[in-house]
Short mmCIF file of all heavy atoms in Angstrom, two decimals:
data_model
loop_
_atom_site.label_atom_id
_atom_site.label_comp_id
_atom_site.label_asym_id
_atom_site.label_seq_id
_atom_site.Cartn_x
_atom_site.Cartn_y
_atom_site.Cartn_z
N ALA A 180 98.23 51.58 194.82
CA ALA A 180 98.33 52.72 193.90
C ALA A 180 99.64 53.47 194.12
O ALA A 180 100.31 53.87 193.15
CB ALA A 180 97.14 53.66 194.12
N TRP A 181 100.02 53.66 195.37
CA TRP A 181 101.26 54.37 195.69
C TRP A 181 102.47 53.62 195.14
O TRP A 181 103.39 54.22 194.56
CB TRP A 181 101.36 54.52 197.21
CG TRP A 181 102.57 55.24 197.71
CD1 TRP A 181 102.86 56.57 197.59
CD2 TRP A 181 103.67 54.66 198.43
NE1 TRP A 181 104.07 56.86 198.18
CE2 TRP A 181 104.58 55.71 198.71
CE3 TRP A 181 103.97 53.37 198.87
CZ2 TRP A 181 105.77 55.50 199.40
CZ3 TRP A 181 105.14 53.16 199.57
CH2 TRP A 181 106.03 54.21 199.82
N VAL A 182 102.48 52.29 195.28
CA VAL A 182 103.58 51.48 194.76
C VAL A 182 103.61 51.54 193.23
O VAL A 182 104.69 51.64 192.62
CB VAL A 182 103.45 50.02 195.25
CG1 VAL A 182 104.46 49.11 194.53
CG2 VAL A 182 103.66 49.95 196.75
N ALA A 183 102.44 51.51 192.60
CA ALA A 183 102.39 51.59 191.13
C ALA A 183 102.96 52.91 190.64
O ALA A 183 103.67 52.96 189.62
CB ALA A 183 100.94 51.42 190.66
N ILE A 184 102.68 54.00 191.35
CA ILE A 184 103.22 55.32 190.98
C ILE A 184 104.73 55.33 191.11
O ILE A 184 105.44 55.82 190.22
CB ILE A 184 102.58 56.42 191.87
CG1 ILE A 184 101.09 56.55 191.55
CG2 ILE A 184 103.28 57.75 191.66
CD1 ILE A 184 100.32 57.33 192.57
N HIS A 185 105.23 54.78 192.20
CA HIS A 185 106.68 54.71 192.39
C HIS A 185 107.33 53.84 191.32
O HIS A 185 108.40 54.19 190.78
CB HIS A 185 107.00 54.15 193.78
CG HIS A 185 106.97 55.20 194.84
ND1 HIS A 185 107.99 55.38 195.74
CD2 HIS A 185 106.05 56.14 195.15
CE1 HIS A 185 107.70 56.37 196.57
NE2 HIS A 185 106.51 56.85 196.22
N ALA A 186 106.70 52.70 191.02
CA ALA A 186 107.27 51.80 190.01
C ALA A 186 107.31 52.46 188.64
O ALA A 186 108.25 52.25 187.86
CB ALA A 186 106.45 50.51 189.96
N ALA A 187 106.30 53.29 188.35
CA ALA A 187 106.27 53.99 187.06
C ALA A 187 107.42 54.97 186.93
O ALA A 187 107.82 55.32 185.80
CB ALA A 187 104.94 54.72 186.90
N HIS A 188 107.96 55.42 188.08
CA HIS A 188 109.10 56.34 188.07
C HIS A 188 110.42 55.61 188.34
O HIS A 188 111.42 56.25 188.67
CB HIS A 188 108.89 57.44 189.10
CG HIS A 188 107.79 58.40 188.75
ND1 HIS A 188 106.47 58.17 189.08
CD2 HIS A 188 107.81 59.58 188.06
CE1 HIS A 188 105.73 59.17 188.64
NE2 HIS A 188 106.51 60.03 188.00
N GLY A 189 110.39 54.29 188.25
CA GLY A 189 111.60 53.51 188.41
C GLY A 189 112.03 53.30 189.85
O GLY A 189 113.13 52.82 190.11
N LYS A 190 111.16 53.63 190.81
CA LYS A 190 111.47 53.45 192.23
C LYS A 190 110.84 52.14 192.69
O LYS A 190 109.64 52.05 192.88
CB LYS A 190 110.95 54.62 193.05
CG LYS A 190 111.52 55.96 192.63
CD LYS A 190 110.88 57.09 193.42
CE LYS A 190 111.40 58.45 192.97
NZ LYS A 190 110.75 59.57 193.71
N MET A 191 111.67 51.13 192.91
CA MET A 191 111.16 49.79 193.17
C MET A 191 111.21 49.39 194.64
O MET A 191 110.71 48.32 195.00
CB MET A 191 111.96 48.77 192.34
CG MET A 191 112.06 49.13 190.85
SD MET A 191 110.43 49.37 190.06
CE MET A 191 109.83 47.70 190.09
N ARG A 192 111.77 50.24 195.51
CA ARG A 192 111.89 49.85 196.91
C ARG A 192 110.54 49.64 197.58
O ARG A 192 110.39 48.81 198.48
CB ARG A 192 112.69 50.91 197.68
CG ARG A 192 114.16 50.94 197.34
CD ARG A 192 114.89 51.93 198.23
NE ARG A 192 116.31 51.97 197.92
CZ ARG A 192 117.19 52.74 198.56
NH1 ARG A 192 116.77 53.55 199.53
NH2 ARG A 192 118.47 52.71 198.23
N SER A 193 109.56 50.41 197.16
CA SER A 193 108.24 50.30 197.78
C SER A 193 107.60 48.94 197.52
O SER A 193 106.65 48.54 198.23
CB SER A 193 107.32 51.41 197.28
OG SER A 193 107.22 51.36 195.86
#
Side-chain angles (χ1 to χ4, degrees):
W181 180 70
V182 171
I184 293 166
H185 276 231
H188 291 87
K190 301 176 182 179
M191 309 304 291
R192 289 185 179 181
S193 57

